[in-house]
Amino acid sequence: MTSPNKGPWLTIVGVQEAGAEALGARARAAIEAADIIFGGPRHLELVGAGARGRPWPMPFSIEPVLETRGQNVVALASGDPFSHGAGRVLSQALTPGEWVSLPAPSTFSLAANALGWPLEETICRALHAAPFETIRDEASTGARLILLMRDGAAVHTLARQLASWQVTAAMTVLERLDGPAERITPYAATEAYQAPVAVALQILAADASSRAAGRPERAYAHDGQITKAPIRALTLAALAPRRDELLWDLGAGSGSISVEWCRLGGRAIAVESQAPRARNIAANIASFGLGARMVLEEGDHQALLATLPHPDAVFVGGGFSETLFALLRKHAKGARLVVNAVTLETESLLVRLAQDEGRLLRVELSEAAPLGTMRGWKATRPVTQWITQL
């Protein structure tokens, strides 16, 4: 990472509980030579920073580090600086020749080695700054998880959250790994735990749910305005989600299309003008732990289109019109478009537009339902689906 003329002025050093004695020769030399050492109070104490130490500001910011550019500076991070640490944000703000990183084992690596769990087969998540709902799907798969926790109290909150999800797991609490105060114990509700702390979960039983599109309507908060499960599965197939692609879900209703798009690895903006439905969308974002992937925009989608980041795909479940189509041609050019219609007026428009481009699919479903003392087929409203490229 060094430039040919001058070495980096910033060294990012990964530290664990064992302190400076466990660091490599390069890391110890960098700390000894530093004019200024940034880090959390615990890390500064572990390396004996003394008067050279500067605690990270709260809320966290790298601006004080950037202001020391050109001096001999060390920034301390937990374990591997590029595993949920400060390495990413520091490197993004600097040029490659300005910094070098000297990692220690991450907490994930230490925990996996302590438990004998293959790291490549273990789900690793940082929950010190993320809601517990972000692991809800993964906690229902029968998997192994290693979770970084904010503090000791969060361990108990996690246990209660798992119980509310009907997840039974063997919980192991790993405190202050790789240091003299290291402690690895089965979870106990009466125990007090000390940071830094991680939790290892071996899921034993769960109310498992598939990641496949077409979850039951009861899984969502909605007012009846929701794309039915079979239609939703067909719609997601037509939208063809790919990891990290962005979806515009216009007139989102309950946001179920956006939720399932995001559960498949994408990102979504759900636009809804009706306040009660927007509240349902917000509840579904929270329930599925999708706050980092799914955004609610409350308002008229035709007025908002120009303000939204360019999408990879667009879904319109209601309110499609020639005016909206013209706006999409302008603001979402190149994106995949899927429109579902249940009214004759919208279907007529789709039939006309499909004469020039795209393809049409008409879906008619029937479900067995009580009919007197027996059962018969109850038809749902037919849906006409138009799939095209903007």
Side-chain angles (χ1 to χ4, degrees):
M1 300 303 296
T2 58
S3 66
N5 300 319
K6 185 178 180 182
W9 61 269
L10 174 66
T11 303
I12 309 168
V13 175
V15 181
Q16 282 291 3
E17 288 296 298
E21 293 76 11
L23 297 176
R26 288 182 66 196
R28 291 198 304 272
I31 291 171
E32 290 171 5
D35 301 318
I36 301 169
I37 303 174
F38 289 92
R42 179 174 58 86
H43 288 152
L44 294 173
E45 182 180 351
L46 285 171
V47 303
R52 296 175 298 160
R54 296 190 188 179
W56 292 114
M58 296 298 289
F60 176 80
S61 170
I62 63 167
E63 287 305 314
V65 177
L66 301 182
E67 291 170 1
T68 64
R69 182 183 262 110
Q71 300 183 60
N72 197 358
V73 181
V74 163
L76 304 176
S78 292
D80 184 343
F82 285 85
S83 176
H84 303 282
R88 178 173 64 90
V89 66
L90 284 166
S91 64
Q92 288 176 344
L94 301 171
T95 60
E98 293 186 275
W99 62 274
V100 65
S101 179
L102 305 175
S106 70
T107 301
F108 296 126
S109 292
L110 294 173
N113 279 269
L115 297 167
W117 289 5
L119 199 57
E120 70 275 10
E121 298 175 7
T122 303
I123 297 170
C124 299
R125 296 287 180 262
L127 295 184
H128 53 279
F132 293 147
E133 286 80 5
T134 57
I135 66 163
R136 184 170 184 176
D137 279 345
E138 292 162 334
S140 299
T141 62
R144 288 172 169 173
L145 297 89
I146 297 174
L147 310 171
L148 306 185
M149 308 306 295
R150 182 183 63 255
D151 52 33
V155 176
H156 298 295
T157 306
L158 173 65
R160 293 192 293 271
Q161 185 70 81
L162 291 171
S164 74
W165 293 338
Q166 302 178 50
V167 171
T168 303
M171 290 181 61
T172 303
V173 184
L174 305 100
E175 302 169 82
R176 316 197 84 167
L177 287 174
D178 201 36
E182 176 180 288
R183 190 169 69 135
I184 302 174
T185 56
Y187 171 74
T190 57
E191 190 64 69
Y193 297 107
Q194 300 296 317
V197 59
V199 171
L201 298 179
Q202 173 67 70
I203 307 301
L204 303 176
D207 182 16
S209 61
S210 170
R211 284 180 178 266
R215 294 201 61 176
E217 287 84 57
R218 65 177 179 276
Y220 299 94
H222 66 92
D223 62 357
Q225 184 67 22
I226 181 171
T227 305
K228 298 301 184 285
I231 303 299
R232 200 179 323 124
L234 290 170
T235 300
L236 265 293
L239 286 167
R242 300 177 179 88
R243 178 164 292 279
D244 289 330
E245 284 193 334
L246 178 64
L247 171 73
W248 286 358
D249 184 358
L250 306 181
S254 67
S256 61
I257 292 290
S258 288
V259 166
E260 299 202 4
W261 171 279
C262 291
R263 292 184 79 220
L264 294 169
R267 297 172 295 116
I269 300 174
V271 183
E272 178 54 57
S273 61
Q274 297 189 36
R277 290 175 180 171
R279 287 193 292 271
N280 283 335
I281 293 171
N284 288 324
I285 292 173
S287 174
F288 286 93
L290 295 174
R293 288 191 167 272
M294 184 173 166
V295 175
L296 167 64
E297 289 283 354
E298 190 170 352
D300 175 66
H301 50 258
Q302 293 194 26
L304 289 170
L305 293 190
T307 69
L308 303 179
H310 193 277
D312 299 287
V314 179
F315 172 65
V316 184
F320 187 72
S321 65
E322 290 190 83
T323 300
L324 176 57
F325 184 49
L327 288 170
L328 290 173
R329 284 286 203 197
K330 178 179 179 181
H331 298 297
K333 190 172 182 59
R336 305 184 295 278
L337 172 66
V338 176
V339 181
N340 286 356
V342 295
T343 66
L344 292 175
E345 289 78 7
T346 307
E347 181 183 87
S348 176
L349 172 59
L350 297 186
V351 170
R352 180 160 53 82
L353 291 172
Q355 292 176 355
D356 298 321
E357 60 181 289
R359 63 189 181 92
L360 281 177
L361 177 70
R362 183 175 172 85
V363 183
E364 299 185 61
L365 298 171
S366 295
E367 186 172 0
L371 183 61
T373 59
M374 305 181 79
R375 293 192 304 163
W377 292 111
K378 182 179 180 181
T380 61
R381 291 181 183 273
V383 175
T384 300
Q385 186 175 88
W386 184 44
I387 306 160
T388 192
Q389 192 93 16
L390 290 166

